[in-house]
Amino acid sequence: MTRSRNRNPILVAIDTADLDRARSLARALAGAVGGIKLGLEFFNAHGPDGVRAVAGDRGDLFLDLKYHDIPNTVAGAVRAAIALRPMILNVHASGGAAMMRAAREAAISEAVRLGIPGPKLIAVTVLTSMDGSDVAAVGQIGPVAEQVVRLARLTRDCGLDGVVCSPREIAAIRAACGPDFTLVVPGIRPAGAETGDQKRVMTPREAMAAGADFLVIGRPIAGAADPVAAAGAILAEIDGA
Ligand code: C5P
């Protein structure tokens, strides 16, 4: 099973603007998940200080801020973010090759300067909220599945470490980009769980078997009565228990 690639592949999405709740969830789940994901909602409410308060120095943070701007500006944003010691950081692949290369160079050079491990730098290909007509309306060439693979290849060619992708995109990207390309996969629901607003879901076990490296899981863990138990049950499911 692919689990051996990653001791604990679960990244719990802490989607809240409530600092105390984020801090207590992160603390409670420290030994139960492989990392925590903080995104735009939390960051815009609490900024870098909030990130430090929740993630500290534990080294397991996925800072999900999806940069997309001119290369110089993205490089500056990445450089500033490295001080937060993210394990994973992301940009939009549609920002283009020069932007992705600038982000990579900034991540590596700033991590070296600070003497800390560099993050995995990954890209968003096509937002999973977009369908074929949305992609066409912004002038991208479809079908969506082909555009996803096109942008994943560009990401790899720019030297980035991987992409965020939906469960249904895992196989095609893995085939196109090889075994060492990191696939971070949201849209995961344990068997029998509420799907909420996620429409195209896979179970944790299915997604790992398909070739995921990390699973981004929010509500099934963060919204559970006992988040630690929920994370443990998901790991057990991945291991086939
Ligand atoms: O609660 P749930 O498990 O649906 O949370 C999934 C997390 O992954 C959320 O933080 C969501 O924003 C994020 N995400 C997603 N689909 C994507 C990209 C990110 O659900 N395509």
Side-chain angles (χ1 to χ4, degrees), residues 72 81 88 92 97 112 134 149 152 182 201:
N72 190 56
I88 304 174
H92 272 282
V112 167
D134 296 317
V149 170
T182 299
V201 298

Side-chain angles (χ1 to χ4, degrees), residues 18-29:
D18 180 336
L19 181 59
D20 288 337
R21 174 159 169 71
R23 201 169 10 202
S24 64
L25 259 177
R27 198 171 295 155
L29 287 164

Side-chain angles (χ1 to χ4, degrees), residues 145-165:
E146 285 176 20
Q147 176 66 351
V148 165
V149 170
R150 186 180 297 122
L151 287 172
R153 282 205 173 97
L154 181 66
T155 301
R156 182 203 56 192
D157 293 347
C158 290
L160 271 62
D161 299 294
V163 291
V164 182
C165 68

